[in-house]
Amino acid sequence: MRSRPLTRLLTAVVCAAGMLGVAGLSGCSSSTASSSAKLTIGFSAWPGWIPWQVAADQGLFKKNGLDVELKWFDVYTDSINALATGAIDANSQTLNDTLTSVSGGAKQTVVLVNDNSTGNDKIIAREGINSVGDLKGKKVAVEQGTVDHYLLLLALAEAKLTEKDIELTPMATDAAAAAFVAGKIDAVGAFAPFTTKALERPGSRPIATSAEFPGAIPDHLVFKAEVVKNNPQAVQGMVNTWFETVAWIKANRQQAMDIMSKRGGVSVKEYEDYDSGTSIFTRKQNLDAFTPGTTPQHLNHQARLASDFLMNTGLAKNQPNLDGLFDDTFVKAVKE
C-alpha cells in the first residue's frame, strides 16, 4: 500500500501528457453514457490520479453524461478501505492494493491504467553503500506491504539476495525517511516526496528505482465489480473522460498546472519537480498492458508476480483470484 500525502509527490503529469499525442482523443465523449449515472470516485495525491480534478473543474464528467462526486482522501489507505467496503464506487489505486483487497474477498475490476511509476519510488542508501548487493547485513527501513517494500524485494532478488539477507526495519514511510536522515538506518525504501527528504542525508543516493523495473508499479482506476456489471455506460463515461482530460491538459498546460498544483496544495514549481517519475499511459499503452502476456508490460504477468509477493510476505492469506480482474472493454471502446 502506498500512503500518498498532500505534498510535492505530484509529478509533471502535464509534461508526460505532452508526449502522449492524444489531441485526437478530444472526440472520445460518449453519447452512450447514462445521463443519470451518479458515481463516487476516490482519489488522492499522486500524479496519475490528480488529473481527475481537471476533469471536474472543466465540466468533462458532465460532458460525458456523468454525475460524479470526487472524494479526496488525505490518507491514501483510507481510499483503499473505502472501495473495499463499498463506501465508494471506484478508486484510484495501485495494482498491489487491488490484489490485497481481492485476496480479502472484495469484488473489483480494473478498467484503466492511469500510469506507471518510473522513478518516483526509490531505495536510497547512505554513503558507502554503492549497490543493492552492499545491503547484505545492513539495516533497511520500509513500510511493510507498500509498493516500496515490493520494489526492495525485486531489487534484492536481482542482486541474488532475499529479505533474510538484510535487517528489515518496518516503519511508516515518513518515519523511515526521517530515521534515515537521522542516521539510524542504512537504507530506506520510499516514494516521493519522502525520497526528497531521505536524500537530504549527506552522501546518500538511490541504488534502485522503479525506473529499473518497468511495469512493476502500475496505478489504476478500479471499480466495484457490481458497478461494471450493472452500469457499464457510466464506466465507459469515466474512461472516456480520462482520455479527454489528458488531451485537455496537453492543450491547456498552464491552466492545468494551476488546477493540479492547487488540488495538491503545492506550488506549480513543486508540482514540476517529479516530471520524469511517472509515465501517463496512452490508449495504446493501455491496450498493450491489458493484453495477456509474459513480459513486464502485461498486467496479468505483473499481477502474478505481485500476488506471489503478497503471499510470500504474509500480507495476503488467500491467493488473489485474477479471473475477470482486468477488463479492457472500455479502453477498447474509446474513439480516437
Side-chain angles (χ1 to χ4, degrees), residues 235-250:
V235 179
Q236 187 67 61
M238 282 296 299
V239 174
N240 289 348
T241 298
W242 171 260
F243 287 106
E244 188 170 342
T245 300
V246 174
W248 191 93
I249 290 171
K250 178 188 175 184

Side-chain angles (χ1 to χ4, degrees), residues 125-128 180-181 197-205:
R126 65 166 170 78
E127 187 175 14
F180 178 72
V181 173
K197 175 65 178 177
L199 288 167
E200 291 176 1
R201 179 170 175 171
S204 64
R205 70 183 188 88

Side-chain angles (χ1 to χ4, degrees), residues 90-318:
N91 191 44
S92 302
Q93 58 190 49
T94 70
L95 176 60
N96 284 43
D97 294 316
T98 301
L99 292 171
T100 300
S101 295
V102 170
S103 173
K107 304 297 184 183
Q108 299 181 355
T109 304
V110 175
V111 300
L112 172 73
V113 183
N114 299 105
D115 70 276
N116 272 190
S117 174
T118 50
N120 274 348
D121 296 272
K122 306 177 189 294
I123 308 301
I124 298 170
R126 65 166 170 78
E127 187 175 14
I129 297 177
N130 300 312
S131 69
V132 175
D134 293 338
L135 292 178
K136 189 171 184 178
K138 302 298 192 300
K139 185 179 289 189
V140 183
V142 70
E143 187 170 353
Q144 282 190 304
T146 64
V147 289
D148 297 295
H149 185 189
Y150 183 44
L151 174 64
L152 173 63
L153 295 187
L154 290 175
L156 288 171
E158 190 173 73
K160 302 189 184 317
L161 298 175
T162 71
E163 194 174 288
K164 295 180 180 179
D165 293 308
I166 64 173
E167 185 179 342
L168 187 69
T169 305
M171 302 176 73
T173 304
D174 55 347
F180 178 72
V181 173
K184 297 179 180 179
I185 53 177
D186 299 302
V188 62
F191 56 88
F194 298 114
T195 48
T196 300
K197 175 65 178 177
L199 288 167
E200 291 176 1
R201 179 170 175 171
S204 64
R205 70 183 188 88
I207 56 173
T209 79
S210 53
E212 297 156 30
F213 299 93
I217 306 178
D219 298 305
H220 303 124
L221 175 63
V222 185
F223 272 88
K224 292 189 297 187
E226 65 184 73
V227 176
V228 176
K229 179 181 179 181
N230 298 331
N231 200 348
Q233 294 90 349
V235 179
Q236 187 67 61
M238 282 296 299
V239 174
N240 289 348
T241 298
W242 171 260
F243 287 106
E244 188 170 342
T245 300
V246 174
W248 191 93
I249 290 171
K250 178 188 175 184
N252 301 274
R253 184 177 186 276
Q254 189 56 56
Q255 189 175 351
M257 288 287 284
D258 292 341
I259 293 170
M260 292 187 287
S261 60
K262 181 180 179 181
R263 171 64 274 186
V266 299
S267 69
V268 171
K269 183 180 184 304
E270 286 175 317
Y271 194 90
E272 292 177 322
D273 280 350
Y274 297 91
D275 63 343
S276 62
T278 299
S279 295
I280 303 299
F281 267 33
T282 63
R283 178 176 177 270
K284 183 181 185 308
Q285 285 174 309
N286 263 268
L287 293 174
D288 290 343
F290 276 112
T291 301
T294 58
T295 70
Q297 75 174 21
H298 298 107
L299 289 177
N300 68 313
H301 177 70
Q302 291 296 350
R304 286 193 294 268
L305 296 177
S307 295
D308 290 343
F309 158 71
L310 294 171
M311 293 295 290
N312 292 337
T313 55
L315 295 168
K317 294 182 179 179
N318 303 304

Side-chain angles (χ1 to χ4, degrees), residues 53-66 241 244:
Q53 189 63 52
V54 174
D57 286 10
Q58 295 306 308
L60 299 180
F61 291 126
K62 185 177 295 185
K63 182 179 178 182
N64 280 285
L66 300 171
T241 298
E244 188 170 342

Side-chain angles (χ1 to χ4, degrees), residues 63 68 89 226 332:
K63 182 179 178 182
V68 172
D89 296 304
E226 65 184 73
K332 283 182 175 179

